[in-house]
Amino acid sequence: MIAAAEKIAGPEIDWAGLSPLIAVFAGALVVLMLGLVVSRTARETFVPGLSIVTLLVAIGLSISQWGKRQDLVAGALRLDELTLVLTILFCIAGIATVLLSWRHLAPREAAHGEYHALLLTSIAGMIVLVAAQNLVSVFLGLELLSIPLYVLCATEMRRASSLESGLKYLVVGSLGSATLLYGMAFLYGATGATDFAQIASALGGDGDLVSDPLLLTGIALTLVGLAFKASVAPFHQWTPDVYEGAPTPITAFMAVATKAAAFGIMLRLLDVALIDAAIDWAPPLAVLAAITIIVGNVGALGQSSLKRLLAYSSVAQAGYMLAGVVVANRLGLQATVFYIAVYLVMNLAAFAVIVARERETPLGDDIASLNGIGATRPLLAWPMTISMLALAGFPATAGFVGKFYLIEASVDGDYTWLAVFIVVGSMISLAYYLKVIAAMWMTPSASEAGGAVAAPAPLPGGETPALAGGSDEATGLRAQGEVVAVAVVFGALTLILGIVPSPLFDVMRDVGAALGLL
Amino acid sequence: MTLHLSIMLWLPLAFGVIGLFAPPRLAGRIALAGTGLALAYAITYVVDYDSGAAGLQYVTDETWIGELGISYKLGIDGLNLLLVALTAILWFACTLWANLREVERSRLFYFHMAFAETAVLGALLAQDLALFTVFFDLMLVPFFFLTGMWGGARRVQATMKLVIYTLVGSLLMLTAAVATGVLAAEGDLPLSFAFSDLAQRPLGESSQQWIFLFFAAAFLVKMPAFPLHGWMPDGYRTMPLPALAVFSGVLSKVAAYGFLRVCLPLFPDASEQFQMLLLLIALASILYGSAMAFTTTEARLILGYSSVAQLGFITLGIFALNEQGAQGALLQAFNHGLVVAPAFFIVALLAARAGGSQDIRDMGGLGMRAPALASLFLIVAFATLAMPGSANFVGEFYILLGVFTEKIVIAIVASAGVVMAAFYTLRLFITAMHNRTGARVETREMTFREGLVLVPLVLLIIAIALYPQFGLKRSEKTVSAVTAPVTEQQNAAEQPERVDALGVAAPEIEAVPAP
């Protein structure tokens, strides 16, 4: 008996290497239990508080593991700088999300324990996903990240659009997962392995395999599956609706973290497992990147809902990042991860401002909710301005450095035409990013304009008392400190990383070395 | 030397930021102090500059983003010295002008003005292609706000048009700049964007071509040159006056400067190849700008279109691709900036007397009652139309001389532009100052406060007219170094004829009349 147990003994597990993941899982469980406490104040402060502590611990543990490069759990997961840097990014996004939803409607309706436990589980799924180096763990991570998100989208249970958003995400997400699974089956069929290293050696060993129809089908379907998650055109149609309907903190989380996770696994799958088949996937992916850039930017042009606008903008930004993936070398990898990081910073600032204005005005996420805040709410207007300029790629912001890096990688990888697409996209994007800035600084606010709301508004401003007081200053309706703090911190970070990007570059150098590309 | 360029560069912005946190009524004074100090620095550089040396002076060279090969390299040479001085002078004048008036939301206004000065100085001082691109794009941000927040009617549309139009060019330039650095760093060479490194790593001819065209697009839009000037009328109509004066006076010159700094030395093959195209664009700008300036009745637009024509002359000089042309272009860039800013101030004073109308048909009859204003305007007008004796005359003379040795026909057609300039400038002067007094015109003389900005600028115009060598002497060495790669190119290409032509041209440099 004992001998048998020894024979089937589980794989060697490096607990230290797994510690960030374990911390997040443990945090999720504790938070779920704590949500059952009767005292309302305990639920409303301890649960989010503990979630933040969990994520901070995970960040600390990730930093302590920095520099390690090893396989975990019998090669199912890989611990390296790519995993760690993305883990840290997910945790930062998670902390911002918890802060933004601290006094939001969604966790109150869905119960605090569940809401935060789902959020933490989703983060755990992301960590598994980007660490995966086996097709099976890819799928495991993807589902672990997606299923909690389907629920989180629908947490504002009394709002039909939130439920619609959740359902839509579930249907489209499942379709994406199914396609991915199908594709992975083909990959296994062609190469006879699920392990990334073995797939790579199978491809490297047999030159004819690269043109094997089985492999081509597998790559195509896998990419389509991942494209759904990363909202790459033409698989992006769900993005605006889901982003618009979901509670805004969750939208922010999806926009930055889900995208980062999808690109993380894309980098690992393509640049490690399928690197020798680059000739198969790089050209079509380059075309997809170009289409995504154009579709996203053109789609954002006519939007009056800020969340939809940022949804389309996120599609466009996915196109920019895809350009870095296409250039399958070290520079491309570093540029992509760099852009993921700055994209997270820029977008969190913007979403924090949207959350703040949703609470301060009755206009929801309409662009008119920003009218005139340059004069009345400078602490929100400056971060939003910086964020918009950064997303458009203006210099002295992190967005510029990121774009510069991506263009450099594209030119270096002989994809100059893709670099031109990036700047053409940026040109189109100016029209809508500047529209947001113009609303903040150059349009009088609703209260200044005598209570009349300039742009089409879902609610008549200036008449309904309390929530819809004509002047938000008069009623003292102000976004809570933590929301403003998120906006200010990430706005400042956008500017700082644009002027002093060197620390981030040092991190990226380690990431680039981790995957062993040229 | 401890004259750090960084101090001059960042002073205005630092004061602007301080002003942001000061009481609103002090913001203007703080910004004025910032630009004043920058001006003092600029004057020190002009005086201290060693015109015998060709290379960069007061160099600051630090690594900014090592990974991307971007260095924070600043320096002054003959190309940018005068333009830096022009920037500092005009910004000081415009800040002073704004200080003598009420400005709404003054803290933000002066912050954006100061930010703009730093950005423009940065673009002029940058000795690294990537850094140049950074500042070149950055220049637009404060003007977006200045136009959109303090502009006249339809300001938001106008500012969107302005920014999108000009940034389209700038973004193309960004790609081109990155490509220049990456393609130049072939083999084991480390990535670098410093002009000095790039100049030693010539690009292949085919990459030079598209990169040159991308840069040219950016610069021509910013100028603006004829087919790409669509943003100009709306922008000029609505921009607040202090911003307009510096925009027209300096920003367009940064574009011209870009040709000299980037295109000629780094892409000599392509410059040679597209010489004719650029000359034709310049010629079209001269003719179109002059014709429009002659027909429009809005005073601001007359100056706007005359700038299109003047920038046409400057482009013409640059793409003569020889020393005289480039010298003339540089001198003319300085002159035009110095002339157009007071012209805008005067037009604003006229508009204030004509019941706020910018239309020259509403003006008139001011000359008798306001002789001081009229004489200042006359001096400015004469300088604009390049009256012999003015520095503008010397500039245009050099430009035409440069073109004449290259393409005679173009030089002859361009000379017509000189004549046309006399037409539209005198038309503006006569309708505004003489003729019948307009219905709503109050004929009052210039006040002391109004003169405070105008008189020193006009005195400076006179001083430069008396002693144009002041500028020419300082730019001579650098200009010949900058045009050298192209002229070498030409010599190599058409050996037999060129030697002769240059032999004729050389003595003419000395023969230029010193007025």
PDB file of all heavy atoms in Angstrom, chain A residues 413-430:
ATOM      1  N   GLY A 413      11.586  44.259 -37.174  1.00  0.00           N
ATOM      2  CA  GLY A 413      11.193  42.929 -37.635  1.00  0.00           C
ATOM      3  C   GLY A 413      10.714  42.925 -39.070  1.00  0.00           C
ATOM      4  O   GLY A 413      10.000  42.019 -39.469  1.00  0.00           O
ATOM      5  N   ASP A 414      11.057  43.951 -39.835  1.00  0.00           N
ATOM      6  CA  ASP A 414      10.657  44.058 -41.243  1.00  0.00           C
ATOM      7  C   ASP A 414       9.151  44.134 -41.422  1.00  0.00           C
ATOM      8  O   ASP A 414       8.606  43.619 -42.392  1.00  0.00           O
ATOM      9  CB  ASP A 414      11.222  42.877 -42.052  1.00  0.00           C
ATOM     10  CG  ASP A 414      12.695  43.080 -42.328  1.00  0.00           C
ATOM     11  OD1 ASP A 414      13.107  44.245 -42.410  1.00  0.00           O
ATOM     12  OD2 ASP A 414      13.418  42.073 -42.442  1.00  0.00           O
ATOM     13  N   TYR A 415       8.458  44.703 -40.468  1.00  0.00           N
ATOM     14  CA  TYR A 415       7.031  44.946 -40.635  1.00  0.00           C
ATOM     15  C   TYR A 415       6.775  46.445 -40.633  1.00  0.00           C
ATOM     16  O   TYR A 415       5.931  46.942 -39.903  1.00  0.00           O
ATOM     17  CB  TYR A 415       6.233  44.268 -39.521  1.00  0.00           C
ATOM     18  CG  TYR A 415       5.967  42.812 -39.780  1.00  0.00           C
ATOM     19  CD1 TYR A 415       6.724  41.825 -39.162  1.00  0.00           C
ATOM     20  CD2 TYR A 415       4.955  42.413 -40.641  1.00  0.00           C
ATOM     21  CE1 TYR A 415       6.492  40.487 -39.399  1.00  0.00           C
ATOM     22  CE2 TYR A 415       4.716  41.078 -40.887  1.00  0.00           C
ATOM     23  CZ  TYR A 415       5.481  40.121 -40.269  1.00  0.00           C
ATOM     24  OH  TYR A 415       5.243  38.799 -40.518  1.00  0.00           O
ATOM     25  N   THR A 416       7.527  47.172 -41.461  1.00  0.00           N
ATOM     26  CA  THR A 416       7.374  48.628 -41.474  1.00  0.00           C
ATOM     27  C   THR A 416       5.954  49.032 -41.823  1.00  0.00           C
ATOM     28  O   THR A 416       5.415  49.990 -41.284  1.00  0.00           O
ATOM     29  CB  THR A 416       8.358  49.245 -42.481  1.00  0.00           C
ATOM     30  OG1 THR A 416       9.662  48.748 -42.181  1.00  0.00           O
ATOM     31  CG2 THR A 416       8.371  50.746 -42.387  1.00  0.00           C
ATOM     32  N   TRP A 417       5.322  48.269 -42.719  1.00  0.00           N
ATOM     33  CA  TRP A 417       3.950  48.642 -43.105  1.00  0.00           C
ATOM     34  C   TRP A 417       3.021  48.568 -41.909  1.00  0.00           C
ATOM     35  O   TRP A 417       2.082  49.359 -41.792  1.00  0.00           O
ATOM     36  CB  TRP A 417       3.456  47.770 -44.252  1.00  0.00           C
ATOM     37  CG  TRP A 417       3.320  46.300 -43.937  1.00  0.00           C
ATOM     38  CD1 TRP A 417       4.281  45.354 -44.069  1.00  0.00           C
ATOM     39  CD2 TRP A 417       2.162  45.634 -43.446  1.00  0.00           C
ATOM     40  NE1 TRP A 417       3.793  44.129 -43.680  1.00  0.00           N
ATOM     41  CE2 TRP A 417       2.490  44.268 -43.297  1.00  0.00           C
ATOM     42  CE3 TRP A 417       0.868  46.047 -43.113  1.00  0.00           C
ATOM     43  CZ2 TRP A 417       1.583  43.321 -42.827  1.00  0.00           C
ATOM     44  CZ3 TRP A 417      -0.038  45.100 -42.652  1.00  0.00           C
ATOM     45  CH2 TRP A 417       0.324  43.748 -42.510  1.00  0.00           C
ATOM     46  N   LEU A 418       3.304  47.648 -40.994  1.00  0.00           N
ATOM     47  CA  LEU A 418       2.459  47.551 -39.800  1.00  0.00           C
ATOM     48  C   LEU A 418       2.682  48.768 -38.905  1.00  0.00           C
ATOM     49  O   LEU A 418       1.745  49.276 -38.282  1.00  0.00           O
ATOM     50  CB  LEU A 418       2.801  46.260 -39.051  1.00  0.00           C
ATOM     51  CG  LEU A 418       1.721  45.662 -38.164  1.00  0.00           C
ATOM     52  CD1 LEU A 418       0.412  45.549 -38.894  1.00  0.00           C
ATOM     53  CD2 LEU A 418       2.159  44.307 -37.650  1.00  0.00           C
ATOM     54  N   ALA A 419       3.930  49.247 -38.873  1.00  0.00           N
ATOM     55  CA  ALA A 419       4.213  50.471 -38.110  1.00  0.00           C
ATOM     56  C   ALA A 419       3.425  51.634 -38.683  1.00  0.00           C
ATOM     57  O   ALA A 419       2.894  52.468 -37.939  1.00  0.00           O
ATOM     58  CB  ALA A 419       5.707  50.770 -38.145  1.00  0.00           C
ATOM     59  N   VAL A 420       3.311  51.668 -40.008  1.00  0.00           N
ATOM     60  CA  VAL A 420       2.535  52.740 -40.620  1.00  0.00           C
ATOM     61  C   VAL A 420       1.065  52.615 -40.222  1.00  0.00           C
ATOM     62  O   VAL A 420       0.387  53.601 -39.937  1.00  0.00           O
ATOM     63  CB  VAL A 420       2.712  52.721 -42.150  1.00  0.00           C
ATOM     64  CG1 VAL A 420       1.799  53.749 -42.800  1.00  0.00           C
ATOM     65  CG2 VAL A 420       4.153  53.002 -42.514  1.00  0.00           C
ATOM     66  N   PHE A 421       0.570  51.364 -40.142  1.00  0.00           N
ATOM     67  CA  PHE A 421      -0.796  51.177 -39.692  1.00  0.00           C
ATOM     68  C   PHE A 421      -0.991  51.677 -38.264  1.00  0.00           C
ATOM     69  O   PHE A 421      -2.021  52.236 -37.925  1.00  0.00           O
ATOM     70  CB  PHE A 421      -1.200  49.699 -39.787  1.00  0.00           C
ATOM     71  CG  PHE A 421      -1.943  49.378 -41.043  1.00  0.00           C
ATOM     72  CD1 PHE A 421      -1.286  48.907 -42.151  1.00  0.00           C
ATOM     73  CD2 PHE A 421      -3.309  49.590 -41.116  1.00  0.00           C
ATOM     74  CE1 PHE A 421      -1.963  48.633 -43.320  1.00  0.00           C
ATOM     75  CE2 PHE A 421      -4.001  49.324 -42.280  1.00  0.00           C
ATOM     76  CZ  PHE A 421      -3.328  48.843 -43.380  1.00  0.00           C
ATOM     77  N   ILE A 422       0.020  51.449 -37.433  1.00  0.00           N
ATOM     78  CA  ILE A 422      -0.099  51.922 -36.054  1.00  0.00           C
ATOM     79  C   ILE A 422      -0.278  53.429 -36.033  1.00  0.00           C
ATOM     80  O   ILE A 422      -1.154  53.951 -35.335  1.00  0.00           O
ATOM     81  CB  ILE A 422       1.147  51.514 -35.229  1.00  0.00           C
ATOM     82  CG1 ILE A 422       1.215  50.000 -35.093  1.00  0.00           C
ATOM     83  CG2 ILE A 422       1.107  52.159 -33.849  1.00  0.00           C
ATOM     84  CD1 ILE A 422       2.398  49.507 -34.306  1.00  0.00           C
ATOM     85  N   VAL A 423       0.515  54.151 -36.822  1.00  0.00           N
ATOM     86  CA  VAL A 423       0.376  55.615 -36.770  1.00  0.00           C
ATOM     87  C   VAL A 423      -0.892  56.073 -37.476  1.00  0.00           C
ATOM     88  O   VAL A 423      -1.518  57.036 -37.048  1.00  0.00           O
ATOM     89  CB  VAL A 423       1.614  56.354 -37.320  1.00  0.00           C
ATOM     90  CG1 VAL A 423       2.799  56.106 -36.469  1.00  0.00           C
ATOM     91  CG2 VAL A 423       1.868  56.010 -38.748  1.00  0.00           C
ATOM     92  N   VAL A 424      -1.298  55.359 -38.533  1.00  0.00           N
ATOM     93  CA  VAL A 424      -2.561  55.743 -39.169  1.00  0.00           C
ATOM     94  C   VAL A 424      -3.698  55.567 -38.164  1.00  0.00           C
ATOM     95  O   VAL A 424      -4.581  56.424 -38.027  1.00  0.00           O
ATOM     96  CB  VAL A 424      -2.804  54.895 -40.435  1.00  0.00           C
ATOM     97  CG1 VAL A 424      -4.216  55.096 -40.949  1.00  0.00           C
ATOM     98  CG2 VAL A 424      -1.820  55.275 -41.524  1.00  0.00           C
ATOM     99  N   GLY A 425      -3.639  54.462 -37.421  1.00  0.00           N
ATOM    100  CA  GLY A 425      -4.640  54.253 -36.378  1.00  0.00           C
ATOM    101  C   GLY A 425      -4.604  55.370 -35.354  1.00  0.00           C
ATOM    102  O   GLY A 425      -5.648  55.879 -34.939  1.00  0.00           O
ATOM    103  N   SER A 426      -3.413  55.768 -34.950  1.00  0.00           N
ATOM    104  CA  SER A 426      -3.301  56.842 -33.958  1.00  0.00           C
ATOM    105  C   SER A 426      -3.907  58.128 -34.484  1.00  0.00           C
ATOM    106  O   SER A 426      -4.525  58.885 -33.732  1.00  0.00           O
ATOM    107  CB  SER A 426      -1.841  57.097 -33.616  1.00  0.00           C
ATOM    108  OG  SER A 426      -1.226  55.905 -33.255  1.00  0.00           O
ATOM    109  N   MET A 427      -3.737  58.365 -35.782  1.00  0.00           N
ATOM    110  CA  MET A 427      -4.320  59.583 -36.357  1.00  0.00           C
ATOM    111  C   MET A 427      -5.831  59.555 -36.229  1.00  0.00           C
ATOM    112  O   MET A 427      -6.449  60.531 -35.814  1.00  0.00           O
ATOM    113  CB  MET A 427      -3.984  59.662 -37.838  1.00  0.00           C
ATOM    114  CG  MET A 427      -2.564  59.993 -38.132  1.00  0.00           C
ATOM    115  SD  MET A 427      -2.340  59.701 -39.878  1.00  0.00           S
ATOM    116  CE  MET A 427      -0.587  59.601 -39.909  1.00  0.00           C
ATOM    117  N   ILE A 428      -6.431  58.404 -36.600  1.00  0.00           N
ATOM    118  CA  ILE A 428      -7.898  58.328 -36.517  1.00  0.00           C
ATOM    119  C   ILE A 428      -8.313  58.493 -35.057  1.00  0.00           C
ATOM    120  O   ILE A 428      -9.293  59.164 -34.743  1.00  0.00           O
ATOM    121  CB  ILE A 428      -8.391  56.974 -37.068  1.00  0.00           C
ATOM    122  CG1 ILE A 428      -7.874  56.753 -38.479  1.00  0.00           C
ATOM    123  CG2 ILE A 428      -9.907  56.910 -37.041  1.00  0.00           C
ATOM    124  CD1 ILE A 428      -8.165  55.376 -39.018  1.00  0.00           C
ATOM    125  N   SER A 429      -7.530  57.900 -34.164  1.00  0.00           N
ATOM    126  CA  SER A 429      -7.934  57.886 -32.757  1.00  0.00           C
ATOM    127  C   SER A 429      -7.961  59.291 -32.172  1.00  0.00           C
ATOM    128  O   SER A 429      -8.702  59.553 -31.235  1.00  0.00           O
ATOM    129  CB  SER A 429      -6.994  57.001 -31.951  1.00  0.00           C
ATOM    130  OG  SER A 429      -5.755  57.638 -31.774  1.00  0.00           O
ATOM    131  N   LEU A 430      -7.163  60.203 -32.728  1.00  0.00           N
ATOM    132  CA  LEU A 430      -7.161  61.568 -32.203  1.00  0.00           C
ATOM    133  C   LEU A 430      -8.554  62.150 -32.183  1.00  0.00           C
ATOM    134  O   LEU A 430      -8.943  62.852 -31.254  1.00  0.00           O
ATOM    135  CB  LEU A 430      -6.291  62.447 -33.102  1.00  0.00           C
ATOM    136  CG  LEU A 430      -4.804  62.282 -32.955  1.00  0.00           C
ATOM    137  CD1 LEU A 430      -4.120  63.090 -34.013  1.00  0.00           C
ATOM    138  CD2 LEU A 430      -4.395  62.728 -31.594  1.00  0.00           C
TER     139      LEU A 430
END
